Each structure stands twice: as C-alpha cells, then as structure tokens.
Amino acid sequence: MMSIKTNISVLFLLVGGCLHAQLKYNDADINFDNLLYVKAAKQYETLVRKGEDSQRVLQRLGDAYFYNTDMENAVKWYGVLFSKYEKVLEPEYAFKYVHALKGVGNYKMAKGIMKIYTEKLDVSEFQVAQMQNNDEALDELLNRQPQYYVSNLGINTPVADFGPMYYKDKIVFSSSRDSLRFETRVYEWNRQPYLDFFMADTTGSGSDLVNVRSFSSILNTRYHEAAATFIPEGNVIYFTRNNYTHQTLGRDGEGTNHLKIYTSELRGGEWTEAEEVPFNSEDYSVGQPALSPDGRKLYFVSDMPGSIGETDIFVVDVLQNGGFSEPRNLGPTINTSGREMFPFVTEEKLYFASDGHLGLGGLDVFESEWGNAGFETPNNLGRPLNSNRDDFGYIVKETTQRGYFSSNREGGKGDDDIYSFQRMEETCEQTVKGSVIRKSNSLPIVNVVVELLDAEGNSLGRTATDPYGAFEFENVLECEAGYEIKISKQGFLPNDAAFSTTKQKDFVNDVPLEITKELNKLIVRENGVLKIKIDNIYFDLNKAEIREDAAQELNKIVEVMKEYPKMVIKIEAHTDSRGSDRYNEQLSDKRAKSTGNYIVSQGIEANRIESAIGYGEKQLLNQCSNGVRCSNEEHDVNRRSEFIIVNLN
C-alpha cells in the first residue's frame, strides 16, 4: 500500500515535486529528488551491491523505502546504516528507524532504539516523543483499552481516498479515482490520477458513505485538490491545491511547486473561481485548512519559517472584513520536530495527526483539549483507530461520537482508505494493591487483615496479607474517587491510609502501609516520657553488683528490648539523701553502669544503651532532702533505677 506521501496530504515533505531536479551524481539521485522512490531504491541497492555503502547512499536507500511506506526494507537498510555509522548519524535517522520498526510491529526493538539513541545522540534540538525514554508510556499505549469500532467504507477504491470533511449533511473527500473525464491525467510519481474533490451521502447510521459523485467541475483542476473545510453556513470553502492559478503551475526559484490554500464562494448554485488566501507564499507550502465551529479561526499546516518541525499547525483569525490576522504557531505543546498535520477543531478539542508525539508508527491521531492556557498535552487515541501505518484526517460529531478518518493500514482496499468509526464510551477502571511492613524493622507481616472502604465508609471487601506482606483487591475502582485502606492484626495497633484514584485508565494504585506492635505492658508514659517500668532493683549495701533478684527484673528489660529491635534506652540510677552527696552520686553511677553492662551481657547491642548515669540524690521525688526527717518508706521512694526510652522504632 502506498504511503500518503504520494498524495497532497503530505506533499509538504515533497513540496509538490521538484520536477526540474538538479543533476547531482547519478540517476538514483535524480529519481530520488523527483520522488520516484521505487526506481531510486533499486538503483541505490545496485550501488550497494557494487560496494558503494557510504552513509549518504545508505541513508537515501533507507529513505526511499521509508517514504514509500515499504517499512520492511526501510528497517533492513536503516539497520545497515546504524551498524556502520551510528556515531555520526543525525537524530532524525533514529526517529525514522523507530517509525520503521513500529511500522513492521517490532515495538520491542523500537523501544530499545528510543532508549539507546536518546543517550547516544544529541536530541536536545530534536523534540519528538519517540526520542525519549518511553518504555512505560509505549507499553501503556499498546495495552490501552480499545475505544473505537472502525469499519472500512464501501466507497473506497484501489487508489487514494482520504481527507473526509462534513459539508451540510454530506461528506466531501479527496480521491485519485478516475473522474470520468475524457482525458485522465496521471501523476507520474505514483501512476495514479491527480486528486480531485468528490462528494457522498451518509447512511442513516453514519457508518458508511454512498452515491459518490464529483463535487465541483470548477474547483477540480488539472492538479491536486484536497483537504477542504467549510464555514458553518456551507457557502464558503477553503481547500488545498498545488500552486495553480489561471492555468499556470507556479514554482519557486528552484523549480518547486508548493501547496497553497484557496477559497471559493457558492453563488447561484455554482462555486466561484478559487482565490488564494493572503498568507500563502511562493517559497513554502500552506494547506490542510480547518475552520473552528464558529468560523472565526482558520487552522492550517505549513512549513513556513518559524516552524518547529517539518510541518506545524498554525492558526489565523478570520476578520469581519474578510481579512486574516498574522499566522500564529500553536507552539511546542502541539508541534514537534516531526510532522503535525490534518487539524480538525470542535468546540472543546483539537484533533490532528502527528508522527512526533509518541505513537504506534507512521502518523497517529491525537486529541488535545482546550484549556485556560491554550491546547493541553495531546492524547493518542490508541488502537484500533491508530495503527502501525499512517492514520490521519479524523473528523467527528461529538454529540454522537461517530465520524470518519483516513488510513493506509494493512487490510484496506488500496492506497489510503476512508474508515468510519464509533467511539465507545470510555470506561475508566482502576484496582488497588499494597503491602504491610512492621514499622520497627521494615519486615513484611503476614495475615494482616486488610479492608477496603469507599469515601462514605462502606466496606468493599476484606483480604489478608501473604507471607511477603502483600495484598491485592479484585474490586474495580471508579476513577477520580476517594478510598481508604484499613489494616488490623491481633497484638498490633490498627492503621489506615486514604488514597484517591486518578483519571488514568487501567491504573493499579499501590498503597504501602506500616503496622506497629501494641506497646508492651511494661512500657508506660510518665509525664510525657516513655519508660520501661519494672519493679525496683536492689543492691547490697554499698555495692553495685547485680543480685539474682535484680537480674530477674532486668531480664524483663532485655525481653522488651528484644521485642523492639530498634529501641534505644538510657539508664538513670538515683539514691535517697542519706549519706554524702558525692558518695551517693559515685555509688549510683556505678550501679547504673553495672545495670547497663548486665543488659548488654544478655545479648542487647551496646549502642542501644545511649547512656548509663548515676544522679545520686540530685533528682529526689519528694521532700526528703538533706536535714529533713523522713521515714524509711519515704526515703525508699527516691531509691530507684529508671529505663527511659529514647527511640522506640
């Protein structure tokens, strides 16, 4: 199947055909420059077989097949090109190689090329999504839920049929079919008749077209006419044509015939002689016009100076006096270093074709919503509307979500075909999974009860974590909605986490949670400070050695610290006021350090005891200071060891 490059649809790249190509080195170059890619490819292959495998020859050989949409051979020769000259190639050749690979369905290698050559080549000035690390984005696009039902139309022929546009209750499109003239002129590049406008009736459901006839004997000329748009009333047309006026084919200084936008008015049932719009030029192409629904803005495609890529989408205001504002580029959100083409505008969206944004191969159709700051980031419409070949010329009635588009995909009737589509209501569904770990040691916890609740607190289901602490719900979640996960397990404190789904289709929400073991009963909070509370430990008179009864109590400290492996404590030893201040401080310090040493001897890491300090009688708990009469019981209140928790988790 021929590429749409054979038609006026992408003659921006071919600029109408340089029919007086400058003689360069050989016949292959002459045929290549005259767009005769089939002949040129065979001649370049002959040169390669004779040993001529320069970078230039391999590039042109790959390009000859690429421009003719023979992606199998394009992949073959771009592969040879990259094997020999990868270090000196321009980024555009990685871009073409990626497109060729996608064109044959080799997405795995295409992803590899995207990744490898984004790193190897300087792509800072070559802004296309294919030259970015897009593994996940391409996988998402390939696996996206189908949203379209498409059907090849009965009116298609073995030659080019493309570019449908609404005209009142009918469809106007372009075709290379024989227009039944007495003399049928043939476009030398693809041996097909030149493109003319045809009109067809829509069936009741809008799924097919019937009753094809010529649109206008006045507007159809000896050269290409295509890509029309009409004002809302239907009595003014804008369309693309070769630079052809008054029976003369215009050329620039190098012999190139560019494309121009023409306009005509319907008067008395006949279209007037077409006239150029003022922003046409002899030096670059302007075409593929598309009017906004109110007729006040005219979008179009051009390679004029100031373009970001090979072809960009521009817009002009249609003024009340019939004039136009200066053209404005839609900017880098829409336009890339590749090709942006075939705009179609509704009240809320811009639809267009591009090979610069991330796609499936060739031109893909994208939609961009109108936001506060202009058109927003484009969204690829996905399969099956887009394919690994060229898909373009999308028009739609958004009230019914029915419309038409053009494609040269495999399985069509000929060159470019027109397809109808029904856009199905998009269902946005998500799921949720997650994991539960113990906060103290980050280890997974098995058999944690996990409950999923909606925004109103209604339970949607329960499950339990597996040995790896993972959980997953099969529930289908609504997009852009709030949910909550609650977890519980005996001996642990309950926890919960709220999350909101996005508008991304088929997204899996990942919700990690932590769970904390219930505090050991020996852990208490006194005056805002966490402590391990055991019975008082006793020492022999004037001694610091750990007695057997004291060891039994300290073993409780050891068990608690083993239960909380990240716990850090500090030990404080205190005495009563009996005895000298200095003696009490020294004795309590020895006892604190002896206590710490015992805990370490039972398997607790030394760095988990931040300090072991004796304070003597400096921190009495009652009034029993020096010189104050107190009972033995009152003095005993001040004799104590404290185990203060510095860090629990």
Side-chain angles (χ1 to χ4, degrees), residues 349-382:
K349 295 181 181 180
L350 165 69
Y351 298 90
F352 64 99
S354 172
D355 62 8
H357 295 282
L358 184 66
L360 300 170
L363 292 168
D364 276 15
V365 178
F366 293 80
E367 66 178 357
S368 174
E369 295 187 7
W370 179 259
N372 294 330
F375 288 112
E376 299 180 347
T377 301
N379 171 54
N380 189 302
L381 295 184

Side-chain angles (χ1 to χ4, degrees), residues 155-310:
I155 65 162
N156 288 313
T157 65
V159 294
D161 304 284
F162 71 98
M165 180 52 64
Y166 297 112
Y167 173 59
K168 300 181 179 179
D169 60 345
K170 305 182 187 307
I171 293 293
V172 171
F173 65 98
S174 297
S175 177
S176 296
R177 68 187 65 202
D178 190 342
S179 59
L180 300 181
R181 295 175 184 156
F182 291 107
E183 178 186 0
T184 299
R185 299 182 64 254
V186 174
Y187 183 34
E188 180 62 28
W189 194 86
N190 61 350
R191 303 302 302 170
Q192 293 184 13
Y194 276 74
L195 295 165
D196 280 338
F197 286 128
F198 292 82
M199 184 166 60
D201 299 323
T202 61
T203 60
S205 63
S207 60
D208 206 349
L209 299 177
V210 295
N211 190 24
V212 177
R213 63 271 195 197
S214 177
F215 177 64
S216 169
S217 60
I218 294 176
L219 298 183
N220 288 336
T221 67
R222 294 163 49 85
Y223 293 98
H224 289 300
E225 284 84 27
T229 187
F230 300 87
I231 68 170
E233 296 76 15
N235 61 337
V236 175
I237 183 176
Y238 295 89
F239 65 95
T240 312
R241 178 191 283 169
N242 292 101
N243 180 4
Y244 176 72
T245 307
H246 304 303
Q247 308 299 313
T248 302
L249 191 66
R251 302 183 188 280
D252 65 13
E254 296 182 356
T256 300
N257 172 239
H258 292 286
L259 305 179
K260 290 186 174 182
I261 293 177
Y262 292 80
T263 184
S264 174
E265 186 176 353
L266 187 65
R267 296 176 185 170
E270 293 289 344
W271 293 98
T272 60
E273 189 71 27
E275 298 179 355
E276 292 187 38
V277 296
F279 48 88
N280 284 333
S281 173
E282 300 293 324
D283 299 319
Y284 51 80
S285 288
V286 175
Q288 297 173 11
L291 281 163
S292 59
D294 60 8
R296 298 174 64 181
K297 292 185 183 298
L298 181 65
Y299 296 81
F300 64 93
V301 176
S302 180
D303 58 352
M304 67 175 57
S307 296
I308 296 172
E310 295 186 51

Side-chain angles (χ1 to χ4, degrees), residues 437-468:
I437 60 172
R438 184 170 173 181
K439 187 175 181 180
S440 61
N441 55 18
S442 298
L443 294 176
I445 300 293
V446 68
N447 291 330
V448 176
V449 176
V450 186
E451 185 177 17
L452 174 65
L453 302 96
D454 63 19
E456 287 71 41
N458 301 309
S459 178
L460 303 179
R462 292 189 176 195
T463 187
T465 57
D466 63 19
Y468 303 100

Side-chain angles (χ1 to χ4, degrees), residues 5 11 50 81-82 116 167 229 282 294 441 538 631:
K5 293 185 179 69
L11 284 175
K50 292 180 179 180
L81 174 66
F82 270 79
I116 292 170
Y167 173 59
T229 187
E282 300 293 324
D294 60 8
N441 55 18
Y538 296 99
S631 65

